[in-house]
Amino acid sequence: MKKIRGWKRRIKQIENLEKENKIFNLPILQNQYVDYLKMFNFQDLDKIPDWYKKRITITFINIFDSWKEYAHVYNLEHFYIRLHIHEDNIFESQIMIVIENQINEYKSRFIRCTDEVKKPYWLDNLSKEFTPYYSCTVWLEDELETLSETEKELMLSNLLEIRNTDSNEKEYLINDGILWCLEYDK
C-alpha cells in the first residue's frame, strides 16, 4: 500500500486557517461593507477524501460561530453572516459577513433549492443544519450571444432564473452546482 504524504501538513494548514481568522477584519468591513474568507486550494489533489471535507466544514463552522460572536462584541447593529460549503469543490467554500446596504445585495445572489437534494454524508452529524442553495453563475444577455448555439443551448439547459438589472439588462442565473449554507441575520 502506497503511503499518502502531506495530510499532516494539510491538517496543520486548516488549523492555522482557523486560528488566523477567528476575527473578521473590522476596518475592511466598515470600509467595504463586506469581509470574507475563502478556502485555500490544493491544485495537486485529484480526489479529496470525505474525512478531509468534513474537517474543512467543521473549521468553517467554528469560524462562522466566532464571527457571529465578534459581530455582537463589536455591537454591529445589523449584519448578515453566510457560510457556504460547495458540494462539488470544497475549495470554493467561503464565509462572509456583510453590513448595511450590501445585505440585500448578497442575499439576492443565492437561490434556495426547490428540488429535494440529498446531503453529502460528510455533512451529517455536525453541530449545525445546512440548507441547500444553488451555486449560480450570472451571465448577461450580451455575454450569452457571444457563445455558439450549442454552448448557449447547454448553458440555458441549466437556467434557474432571469432577472432584470437596474440598467434594464437581463441577467441569466445558471445552475453551477449545490451550496450547503448556514446563515445568520441580525
Side-chain angles (χ1 to χ4, degrees), residues 4-19:
I4 299 174
R5 299 195 179 272
W7 288 111
K8 285 184 181 179
R9 177 177 49 90
R10 291 180 179 104
I11 290 169
K12 189 71 172 159
Q13 285 177 313
I14 291 173
E15 290 169 353
N16 289 338
L17 179 81
E18 184 175 347
K19 285 178 195 170

Side-chain angles (χ1 to χ4, degrees), residues 17-37 62-82 95-99 184:
L17 179 81
E18 184 175 347
K19 285 178 195 170
E20 294 167 4
N21 293 284
K22 282 283 195 186
I23 305 172
F24 53 85
N25 190 320
L26 185 59
I28 286 178
L29 181 63
Q30 291 171 327
N31 215 12
Q32 299 175 6
Y33 308 114
V34 63
D35 188 20
Y36 68 94
L37 171 65
N62 292 341
I63 294 169
F64 177 91
D65 289 340
S66 180
W67 282 21
K68 185 169 115 179
E69 181 181 322
Y70 276 98
H72 289 290
V73 167
Y74 290 140
N75 293 319
L76 296 180
E77 195 170 302
H78 189 64
F79 62 92
Y80 173 65
I81 302 176
R82 180 184 195 89
I95 183 170
M96 66 186 76
I97 183 167
V98 185
I99 60 173
Y184 182 80

